[in-house]
Amino acid sequence: MSNDSVYIDRFLEMMAAESGASPNTLSAYRSDLEQASSFAKGLLSEADRAGLEKIASAWSELKNSSVSRKSSSLRRFFGFLVEEGFRADDPSDSLPRPGGQRSLPKILSHEEVAKLFETIEVRLNTKNPKPKDARLSALIELLYGSGLRASELVSLPRKSVMMDRPFLIISGKGGKERLVPISDRARHAVKRWTGFVDGDEKYLFPSRTGHLSRIRLFQIIKDLATKSDINPTKISPHVLRHAFATHLLEGGADLRALQTLLGHSDISTTQIYTHVDSARLVELVNNRHPLSRHDLTR
């Protein structure tokens, strides 16, 4: 099996588990990626800008909608390779964008995030809270509070969160390590959950076969959304990671700091998290532009 085949399978697994892609969408991604891999003689994952431009040249007779879809598939694939540490650079900006700007990623509002935590609080404040509710609290606090990838979250060692240490040391794909701040809320949520975890367990979120799977995490979050009166199609582990990043940017964080927090090798990958609603952009111009504060004719 070629590296491309392995990476494509992992990418589709991520899309299913973290983004909730439908079977039809996954099939379309696979078709586009396998065709591009065939054109690249099984070396798509190693392609540079010139290589991607050659692949795109084979699309010259296709409709704009088809070119747009294929470009989008490859951009998502290369974004995945960079984010997971399988390569350091993302050459996919050389691909055509016939449809104009790419669509904005899904985002949760502050109010929707608050609903999720309200649902969890109601469960925890019952007379006899269940272990799965303590686990749910720890999962959501770490996903939204620290912006972990689903794969990083489910594979956390049991002793990774210490009450006297306000950060996690995350070992991401490619063996790269980074420090991730963890809030007091998250540490207390994890402490509550570890009371239900056997001391001999290797993982913080164990299962019968190792650790909680990404697919099971996806299902847990969908169920929480339904019980919080949020459309479950809007939410996934990756959407909570995106909410973490977007809400930090809204609060004043800069892209370089966010790049470090998210563990991105390339700043261009971090830029997908700069989705800001139009109302805030209008407010920014009205309140921060020099013309809003000064009479420059004086």
Side-chain angles (χ1 to χ4, degrees):
M1 182 180 287
S2 70
N3 281 347
D4 280 356
S5 296
V6 173
Y7 290 142
I8 290 171
D9 286 344
R10 291 189 181 185
F11 168 71
L12 295 176
E13 178 188 351
M14 181 278 293
M15 291 296 295
E18 298 185 23
S19 301
S22 69
N24 287 341
T25 298
L26 294 176
S27 178
Y29 274 122
R30 181 178 290 280
S31 176
D32 290 337
L33 294 173
E34 288 181 346
Q35 287 178 17
S37 176
S38 177
F39 187 91
K41 300 184 181 343
L43 298 175
L44 174 64
S45 57
E46 302 174 21
D48 55 14
R49 292 175 58 89
L52 292 186
E53 288 172 357
K54 288 182 180 178
I55 292 173
S57 67
W59 304 338
S60 59
E61 302 299 320
L62 299 178
K63 295 180 180 178
N64 279 353
S65 58
S66 296
V67 173
S68 179
R69 191 199 71 238
K70 289 179 179 293
S71 289
S72 177
S73 296
L74 266 64
R75 282 194 295 271
R76 293 292 296 269
F77 178 64
F78 278 93
F80 161 80
L81 292 178
V82 171
E83 186 169 337
E84 295 295 300
F86 295 126
R87 63 178 293 162
D89 64 313
D90 182 355
S92 64
D93 60 351
S94 63
L95 293 168
R97 294 178 182 271
Q101 295 182 341
R102 59 178 168 181
S103 60
L104 292 172
K106 294 177 182 178
I107 181 63
L108 292 177
S109 67
H110 292 272
E111 292 74 20
E112 287 170 325
V113 171
K115 281 185 177 182
L116 298 177
F117 285 105
E118 287 169 6
T119 300
I120 294 171
E121 281 299 312
V122 169
R123 293 188 186 185
L124 292 176
N125 289 332
T126 58
K127 187 176 181 180
N128 295 304
K130 299 177 180 178
K132 68 178 184 180
D133 295 327
R135 182 183 68 175
L136 176 63
S137 175
L139 288 169
I140 301 302
E141 289 284 358
L142 288 170
L143 266 180
Y144 176 68
S146 296
L148 300 183
R149 299 181 179 96
S151 57
E152 295 169 342
L153 175 63
V154 297
S155 61
L156 281 175
R158 183 176 59 84
K159 295 182 179 180
S160 58
V161 180
M162 311 294 258
M163 288 305 294
D164 62 345
R165 193 172 68 184
F167 58 85
L168 295 168
I169 299 178
I170 298 295
S171 180
K173 293 294 180 65
K176 296 180 180 179
E177 291 187 343
R178 73 182 191 278
L179 290 180
V180 176
I182 178 172
S183 67
D184 291 340
R185 280 178 52 121
R187 279 185 287 165
H188 282 94
V190 170
K191 182 179 180 181
R192 182 193 296 117
W193 163 238
T194 52
F196 297 101
V197 180
D198 190 289
D200 294 330
E201 291 286 357
K202 177 181 178 180
Y203 297 107
L204 180 58
F205 301 105
S207 70
R208 286 176 294 180
T209 58
H211 58 68
L212 187 73
S213 70
R214 294 198 295 187
I215 291 176
R216 181 61 188 137
L217 174 64
F218 177 81
Q219 293 168 339
I220 289 170
I221 290 175
K222 292 287 185 182
D223 181 67
L224 173 62
T226 299
K227 289 180 170 57
S228 304
D229 294 325
I230 297 173
N231 185 344
T233 63
K234 289 188 63 175
I235 190 170
S236 70
H238 190 71
V239 169
L240 282 170
R241 175 171 158 88
H242 182 76
F244 160 82
T246 304
H247 295 168
L248 273 180
L249 283 173
E250 290 176 351
D254 63 76
L255 276 181
R256 287 295 179 186
L258 198 57
Q259 178 187 7
T260 300
L261 290 172
L262 294 172
H264 289 162
S265 300
D266 193 327
I267 190 68
S268 65
T269 307
T270 314
Q271 289 171 342
I272 69 169
Y273 292 97
T274 58
H275 163 64
V276 180
D277 61 65
S278 58
R280 184 172 181 274
L281 292 177
V282 172
E283 180 184 2
L284 181 66
V285 171
N286 287 339
N287 294 336
R288 301 296 180 86
H289 193 280
L291 289 177
S292 70
R293 301 189 302 275
H294 302 289
D295 183 350
L296 300 184
T297 62
R298 293 180 180 178

